[in-house]
C-alpha cells in the first residue's frame, strides 16, 4: 500500500493536467453505447436488437463501468466530470496493479536495482503506449502483468492456496477486461499443464471455469437475455485483412483482376493507403459481413 500511495501521488497530477482525460475511438464508442447511440461495431454485429445499443464488440463489463461514470457526469450536467472521474478510477486500478508488480520484485533485487525499477514503472503514464489513451487496453495490460507475476511466484515458491485462487480469479476476469483474454487464458494454462505438471488440475480448472463463465454463461446466455449484440467476425479475420491490405497496397501490379474483384467484395476499400501496419481498425471495419 505504501508503493501504491507513492505511485498514485505521482500519477494524479498528470490526470489533473489532462482534465477531463484523453480518450481513444474505442472508449468513445463505449460511451455512445451507454448513451443510447448507434455505433459501427453494433451495425457490424450478426445480431442487432432494436432499441438496444450495447455491443459485445467491446468488453461489456468495461462498457458498463465506463458508462456509469459518464452517466454521473451527465446527471450532474457536465459529461466532462464523468470522464474525469473515470480517469481517476483507472489511475487507481493501474496504480494498484503496478504497485503489486513492483513490490513482487523487492525480494529478488538489491535496493538500487529495485529503486531503478520503481522509477521506470512510475514513469509509465508519460509513455503514450502505456498512458490512459486506451483505457481498456491499459487495464488489460496491468492485469496481464499481474497474471505473469503470479505465475512467476508459483514457479519460485510452488502452488499455494492463495496463488491458486489468484490464478483462478484472474483467469475468469481477463476475458471480461478484453474479449481476446479467453484465448490468452487457454494458451497460457495449456503451456503450464506441460511445464508445471505438479498442479495440472489447477491449470485445467482455470481453462474450464473461464470458458464456462465467460464463453458459455455470459456470452451464450446473459448477453442474449440482456439483448447485447455479439461482436462481428472482423476481429477473427483482422490478421488476414491486414495481410491482404498490405499486399493490395504494395503489390497491386501482381494482383489478377479476378482476384481483386473477389477481395473488394469482402473489403470494399477504394484507397488501400488507409492501411497501417500497427493497427487493424482502419481495415477490419470495412469488412462486408454479407
Amino acid at each position: 500500500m505504501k508503493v501504491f500511495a507513492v505511485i498514485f501521488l505521482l500519477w494524479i497530477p498528470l490526470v489533473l493536467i489532462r482534465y477531463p482525460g484523453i480518450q481513444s475511438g474505442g472508449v468513445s464508442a463505449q460511451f455512445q453505447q451507454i448513451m443510447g447511440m448507434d455505433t459501427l461495431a453494433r451495425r457490424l454485429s450478426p445480431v442487432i436488437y432494436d432499441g438496444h445499443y450495447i455491443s459485445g464488440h467491446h468488453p461489456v463489463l468495461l462498457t458498463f463501468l465506463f458508462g456509469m461514470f459518464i452517466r454521473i457526469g451527465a446527471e450532474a450536467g457536465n459529461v466532462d466530470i464523468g470522464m474525469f472521474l473515470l480517469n481517476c478510477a483507472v489511475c487507481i486500478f493501474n496504480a494498484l496493479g503496478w504497485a503489486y508488480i513492483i513490490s513482487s520484485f523487492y525480494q529478488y533485487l538489491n535496493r538500487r536495482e529495485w529503486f531503478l525499477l520503481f522509477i521506470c514503472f512510475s514513469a509509465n503514464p508519460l509513455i503514450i503506449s502505456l498512458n490512459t489513451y486506451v483505457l481498456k487496453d491499459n487495464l488489460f495490460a496491468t492485469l496481464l502483468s499481474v497474471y505473469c507475476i503470479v505465475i512467476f511466484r508459483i514457479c519460485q515458491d510452488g502452488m499455494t492456496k492463495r496463488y491458486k485462487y489468484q490464478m483462478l480469479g484472474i483467469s475468469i476476469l481477463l476475458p471480461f477486461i478484453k474479449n481476446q483474454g479467453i484465448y490468452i487464458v487457454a494458451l497460457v494454462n495449456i503451456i503450464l499443464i506441460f511445464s508445471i505438471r505438479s498442479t495440472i488440475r489447477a491449470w485445467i480448472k482455470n481453462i474450464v471455469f473461464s470458458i464456462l463463465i465467460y464463453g458459455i454463461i455470459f456470452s451464450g446466455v446473459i448477453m442474449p437475455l440482456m439483448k447485447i449484440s455479439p461482436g462481428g467476425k472482423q476481429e477473427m479475420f483482422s490478421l488476414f485483412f491486414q495481410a491482404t491490405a498490405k499486399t493490395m497496397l504494395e503489390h497491386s501490379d501482381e494482383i489478377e483482376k479476378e482476384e481483386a474483384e473477389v477481395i473488394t467484395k469482402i473489403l470494399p476499400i477504394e484507397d488501400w493507403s488507409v492501411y497501417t501496419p500497427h493497427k487493424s481498425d482502419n481495415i477490419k471495419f470495412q469488412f462486408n459481413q454479407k
Side-chain angles (χ1 to χ4, degrees), residues 176-250:
F176 286 95
I177 303 299
K178 193 170 178 67
N179 297 336
Q180 294 91 329
I182 192 75
Y183 305 120
I184 292 175
V185 169
L187 180 60
V188 165
N189 283 276
I190 287 172
I191 293 170
L192 291 171
I193 286 173
F194 290 99
S195 57
I196 310 178
R197 298 186 180 185
S198 59
T199 51
I200 288 178
R201 290 176 62 183
W203 312 134
I204 293 174
K205 280 183 180 179
N206 291 340
I207 298 173
V208 170
F209 275 95
S210 60
I211 292 175
L212 176 66
I213 293 174
Y214 178 79
I216 298 175
I217 297 176
F218 180 73
S219 299
V221 179
I222 295 177
M223 280 179 58
L225 285 176
M226 296 182 68
K227 298 189 183 304
I228 297 172
S229 298
K233 294 179 181 178
Q234 67 273 3
E235 297 302 310
M236 187 190 309
F237 295 140
S238 62
L239 178 63
F240 308 106
F241 291 164
Q242 283 288 85
T244 302
K246 181 179 174 65
T247 304
M248 292 293 284
L249 180 64
E250 298 179 2

Side-chain angles (χ1 to χ4, degrees), residues 83-246:
M83 291 175 65
F84 174 69
L85 291 175
L86 173 60
N87 278 275
C88 288
V90 170
C91 180
I92 291 171
F93 288 140
N94 281 334
L96 279 170
W98 290 121
Y100 177 85
I101 295 162
I102 294 168
S103 300
S104 298
F105 281 99
Y106 191 77
Q107 61 182 308
Y108 303 104
L109 304 173
N110 61 44
R111 288 191 176 183
R112 182 180 296 176
E113 292 169 338
W114 186 86
F115 186 70
L116 184 61
L117 178 77
F118 174 80
I119 295 296
C120 292
F121 275 86
S122 298
N124 96 37
L126 300 176
I127 306 169
I128 191 166
S129 61
L130 292 174
N131 67 14
T132 56
Y133 182 62
V134 186
L135 299 187
K136 64 181 188 301
D137 291 349
N138 196 336
L139 289 171
F140 182 73
T142 302
L143 187 61
L144 192 59
S145 300
V146 172
Y147 202 39
C148 292
I149 292 297
V150 175
I151 294 171
F152 173 76
R153 284 184 159 182
I154 291 170
C155 293
Q156 293 289 312
D157 307 331
M159 177 67 82
T160 65
K161 185 176 288 187
R162 177 186 176 186
Y163 294 156
K164 187 185 297 183
Y165 287 130
Q166 285 180 347
M167 280 291 291
L168 182 59
I170 299 174
S171 295
I172 292 171
L173 186 58
L174 268 175
F176 286 95
I177 303 299
K178 193 170 178 67
N179 297 336
Q180 294 91 329
I182 192 75
Y183 305 120
I184 292 175
V185 169
L187 180 60
V188 165
N189 283 276
I190 287 172
I191 293 170
L192 291 171
I193 286 173
F194 290 99
S195 57
I196 310 178
R197 298 186 180 185
S198 59
T199 51
I200 288 178
R201 290 176 62 183
W203 312 134
I204 293 174
K205 280 183 180 179
N206 291 340
I207 298 173
V208 170
F209 275 95
S210 60
I211 292 175
L212 176 66
I213 293 174
Y214 178 79
I216 298 175
I217 297 176
F218 180 73
S219 299
V221 179
I222 295 177
M223 280 179 58
L225 285 176
M226 296 182 68
K227 298 189 183 304
I228 297 172
S229 298
K233 294 179 181 178
Q234 67 273 3
E235 297 302 310
M236 187 190 309
F237 295 140
S238 62
L239 178 63
F240 308 106
F241 291 164
Q242 283 288 85
T244 302
K246 181 179 174 65

